[in-house]
Structure formats: C-alpha cells, structure tokens
Amino acid sequence: MKSKLSTILISTLCLFNFGFTQAKSTVPSYFSEKEFNSFFPQRNKFYSYASLSKAILAMSFIKIKIEKRGDWIYKITRTDKRNNKETVIRQDKDWNETWAKAKPYSILNIDYADFGASKDNNVNKKELAALFAHIAHETRNGINNKYNDGLMLNHELHTSANYVVANVNYPAVALRKYYGRGPIQISYNSNYGFASDCIFGDKNILLKNPNLVATNAITAFETAIYFWMTPQGAKPSPHDVITGKWKPTAAETQKGYKAGFGMTINIVNGALECNKGTEMPAMKNRIGFYHYFLKKLNVTDANCYCDCAKMEPYPG
C-alpha cells in the first residue's frame, strides 16, 4: 500500500531498500540538508538532516485510530501501512463495561504521513517553521534573540528529577528517569509510554529505555513528530492547529483560543507560558523563533495569532 511521504525530505528513499511498496517522494527544493544546517548552525551533531529524514519516512508508514468513551476511556489501534497489520496497542480495562458504553463515543484517525504533506507548500512551510520554532526553543543553549542556538541539547540540563506520575496504562519502571529528552523534550512516564505505543507499537520500549530518545537521533525526531501530530487529552494537535484543520468551539473561543502559532504554544507549554501577558519571555522566544524560520523559508503568516498572552491554559 502506498503512503504519502512528507514534503520536507530530499533524497531519503535512496537511503533505503525496502521489500515493499515505497512511499512517494514529493519533496520541493526549499528544504535541503544545506538549509537544515543553516537553520541550526550551532546544533549538536546528534541532530542531523539524515536522521530527521529517516524519522519522517518511518513515521509516514504509521496510522493510529484513537477511540474514546467519555473523556478518559481509550482504545487505540495502530496500523503499519507496510503490511496493513492492525494491532490494538491499548484498550483500557473499563472499555467494555456497560456504564462505559453508555458514555459519548468519539473516534480520531491520525496518519503520520500527513506531516508537512499539504498540497499547498506555503502551508507546509508554516508548519515546518512552527515545529522548528518549538524544537529550537526547547533545545536552545545560547544567546537570547540570536535564534541560531536550536538543537543544541539532546536532553534537559537538570536530570535529577524523575518526572514520574501515577499512570495505570504507562507505569514508570523502577530506576528510570523520565526527564526531557529529544528535540521536543518529551517528559513524564505517561508521555514516554504513549509515544512508544504509537511509534513502536510497544509501550515498554521507551518506558524501559527512555534514554533511547537521547541516544538514537531517529527515535528522537520520531518523538517530535509523534507529539506534533497526536492530540493529547482535550488538546488538538499542533499539526491540526497550524494547518488550519482545527477550529475553536464557542466555549474554546471564550477561553481565548484562536487558531495560530499562539495556540501551539498553549498545547506545548501553556501552563507555564500562557495567560501571563505579552512580555512572558519563553513565549516571546518561541514567537521570535517562528518568525525567524518563516523568513528562512521565505513565507509569511499574515493573519498570525502568534501569542497566547490571554489564552486560558489547559489543565494538568
């Protein structure tokens, strides 16, 4: 079965010799390895264009179906498009209870091949600029307002905290620490487990070895793509927000939610950065990176709602 390949890789397919139908490469010329290197001139060599390309390709063969009963009872099915194999990777213990079946049912399908795959390259460029803004901010270790210091850290500087929360589906493994790692600085056992389920079809891979995100560059970028494409709880995905697929409800509008880069800040780190006014330093830094990468990609976001200064953060 053919799948779409994101429109931000170049020459990736020549790196692979698959025994199945290959993904289509529809790559424009605006994002080459040379551009990647210029975007992140001080990057840790751990983060390479080749690793990003391989991660995007690997993720393009994965689809996820998330079914919910109520807000917190999940069934998640993962499809590997290379062999059309469907696997239930999570089914909460209450899924088939009568009282659970009486709750509102919802379904959401996520195709990771949709990352950067719009027919409109301007949309793709804005999405890339938005993702790069967040990963640059999360991994920066340089001078303020230079915007040349992204992808310098492959894990957070302070590693003493365990970032462990009680979670029935994704319990922490003894002696493991779930501090921020990778370009999006994924943290907490619940996020490592969910990411591992979606990426590998096995929650235990990252729960047992969270350091894989800091030592395997392909896995590191895969966690960033997973986070970007996968809604968490009541939040939409950053992908749906920045590509215009998400529209706020009337209730969400009352909370100050608007489609745009500012909403992606709320999704990524709203509890610490949103509803704190226009001078919040971390929020301003993300916005600065966004405009920096928009310029690098020669695209504008004329109607950008870029800040979350008056947005109510998501709980938890």
Side-chain angles (χ1 to χ4, degrees), residues 30 35 38-39 122 125-126 128-130 132-133 146-147 287-301:
Y30 67 80
E35 274 74 39
S38 73
F39 287 7
N122 286 330
K125 290 179 180 182
K126 284 192 287 186
L128 196 63
F132 279 0
K146 292 289 187 180
Y147 306 119
I287 296 168
F289 268 117
Y290 181 51
H291 288 299
Y292 173 80
F293 288 120
L294 286 173
K295 185 176 181 180
K296 281 278 193 178
L297 288 161
N298 194 30
V299 65
T300 60
D301 190 351

Side-chain angles (χ1 to χ4, degrees), residues 101-276:
K101 291 181 179 179
K103 290 185 173 292
Y105 172 82
S106 61
I107 185 171
L108 179 66
N109 291 292
I110 304 161
D111 188 338
Y112 291 105
D114 289 339
F115 173 67
S118 170
K119 294 179 180 179
D120 184 342
N121 275 341
N122 286 330
V123 172
N124 295 330
K125 290 179 180 182
K126 284 192 287 186
E127 178 172 22
L128 196 63
L131 174 61
F132 279 0
H134 287 297
I135 66 176
H137 172 81
E138 294 290 336
T139 59
R140 66 181 299 264
N141 192 27
I143 300 172
N144 288 339
N145 304 317
K146 292 289 187 180
Y147 306 119
N148 61 356
D149 57 349
L151 293 184
M152 294 180 71
L153 303 175
N154 61 345
H155 62 77
E156 63 178 289
L157 292 173
H158 304 290
T159 60
S160 57
N162 290 332
Y163 288 91
V164 170
V165 294
N167 190 287
V168 172
N169 295 292
Y170 305 117
V173 175
L175 304 180
R176 303 299 189 271
K177 293 184 177 181
Y178 299 99
Y179 53 79
R181 296 176 175 89
I184 205 69
Q185 295 286 280
I186 186 173
S187 56
Y188 291 98
N189 51 295
S190 53
N191 289 323
Y192 276 89
F194 194 6
S196 191
D197 255 349
C198 294
I199 295 167
F200 301 109
D202 182 352
K203 66 183 180 182
N204 290 309
I205 291 178
L206 294 184
L207 281 174
K208 291 181 177 180
N209 186 13
N211 208 42
L212 190 65
V213 181
T215 57
N216 185 306
I218 298 172
T219 300
F221 279 122
E222 285 174 335
T223 63
I225 297 166
Y226 142 82
F227 181 88
W228 191 255
M229 299 292 296
T230 311
Q232 307 284 333
K235 302 177 184 179
S237 70
H239 166 80
D240 283 352
V241 169
I242 205 68
T243 60
K245 295 179 181 178
W246 173 82
K247 305 294 181 186
T249 64
E252 289 171 327
T253 300
Q254 289 296 312
K255 296 179 180 180
Y257 296 175
K258 296 179 180 180
F261 182 74
M263 188 64 189
T264 70
I265 301 175
N266 199 356
I267 295 167
V268 174
N269 205 24
L272 296 179
E273 298 177 26
C274 295
N275 206 26
K276 298 180 184 297

